[in-house]
Amino acid sequence: MQLELPGLKLEQIDLRIDGGDLVVEGGRDRENERAGDRYHRIERSHGRFARRFRLPAGFDGPGVKAGYRDGVLEVVVPLSATDADLSVRVPID
């Protein structure tokens, strides 16, 4: 699974497994205007966000791997015979 998170720093992203869901949360601060700058439109949204994805039955919670590069968060969820009712913080490399 890949999620586009342009402009976010790694420390602004929280990734975890909660029960049988993969939860991605984060936030982006509003960009400060500088004196003399004129804006017609700012395309990038700001504020907090949260996404929740239901994982397939039989996923391997401790085996979930994630990497973040160039604004793209990639999460790999392997399948196994372990129980999906667990909570695990997923480290992002």
Side-chain angles (χ1 to χ4, degrees), residues 11 15-16 23 27 29 39 47 53-54 56 58 60 62 69 78 81 86 90 93:
E11 54 271 4
L15 179 64
R16 68 181 186 280
V23 180
D29 296 328
Y39 298 94
F53 303 93
R54 189 75 184 151
D60 177 12
R69 184 175 178 155
L86 54 91
V90 178
D93 296 330

Side-chain angles (χ1 to χ4, degrees), residues 9-64:
K9 296 177 183 155
L10 182 59
E11 54 271 4
Q12 294 175 296
I13 304 167
D14 181 38
L15 179 64
R16 68 181 186 280
I17 296 171
D18 185 15
D21 294 341
L22 179 70
V23 180
V24 182
E25 294 181 328
R28 179 182 291 117
D29 296 328
R30 183 181 194 114
E31 294 180 25
N32 293 329
E33 295 182 19
R34 297 176 296 210
D37 286 348
R38 295 189 326 169
Y39 298 94
H40 295 286
R41 179 187 305 221
I42 297 177
E43 295 285 335
R44 197 172 283 173
S45 62
H46 64 279
R48 300 283 309 156
F49 69 88
R51 295 288 311 266
R52 195 176 266 284
F53 303 93
R54 189 75 184 151
L55 294 171
F59 71 93
D60 177 12
V64 174

